[in-house]
Amino acid sequence: MSESWKIPKERIVDMAARSKEVVMEPFPGITVVSWQLPSGFVITEQSGTIDPAEYSREIGIECCRERLIDKVWELEGYVQKQRWADQRLRDAEEI
C-alpha cells in the first residue's frame, strides 16, 4: 500500500490555531496580521480600504487570515512535495 501524500485540512487548521497572532493598524484603513507558526516561522498579510471612513477592522482581519491560511497551504505543499521528491529519489536508488 502506498503512502498518501495528501495534506489533511485538519493539519492546516491545527497549525493556524496554534499560531501566535499579532494584529496591527499602522495607518488609517490598513490592517496587518502576522502569524508566528508553531515552527517559529513568521508569515504576514495586509489588507486595506480605499476610504478609511469605511474601514472595518474585523473585515480586514478576516481577509488577512484567509490569505494566511492560503500561505500555510502553499508552504506545507512545498514541504510535502519535497518529501515526495526525496522519497522518489530514494526509491530509484534502491532499484
Side-chain angles (χ1 to χ4, degrees):
M1 178 186 220
S2 66
E3 178 178 350
S4 173
W5 292 99
K6 291 182 181 180
I7 301 169
K9 182 177 181 179
E10 296 78 24
R11 183 158 115 197
I12 304 301
V13 171
D14 178 64
M15 189 175 295
R18 294 186 302 121
S19 295
K20 294 177 185 172
E21 181 177 85
V22 174
V23 177
M24 297 168 279
E25 297 173 64
F27 303 102
I30 302 297
T31 305
V32 177
V33 179
S34 295
W35 284 356
Q36 183 179 38
L37 302 176
S39 68
F41 189 74
V42 176
I43 56 177
T44 301
E45 270 297 338
Q46 68 181 31
S47 68
T49 183
I50 294 170
D51 182 357
E54 295 179 1
Y55 173 71
S56 167
R57 175 184 168 93
E58 294 75 28
I59 291 173
I61 292 170
E62 180 182 328
C63 289
C64 289
R65 285 178 179 159
E66 289 173 5
R67 293 180 190 146
L68 288 167
I69 288 286
D70 289 343
K71 279 189 177 184
V72 172
W73 274 110
E74 185 176 350
L75 291 167
E76 285 296 295
Y78 170 80
V79 170
Q80 194 71 338
K81 180 69 173 192
Q82 187 62 53
R83 288 179 183 144
W84 177 84
D86 290 345
Q87 183 63 51
R88 287 183 53 116
L89 285 172
R90 282 191 298 275
D91 291 348
E93 290 171 357
E94 291 175 4
I95 296 176

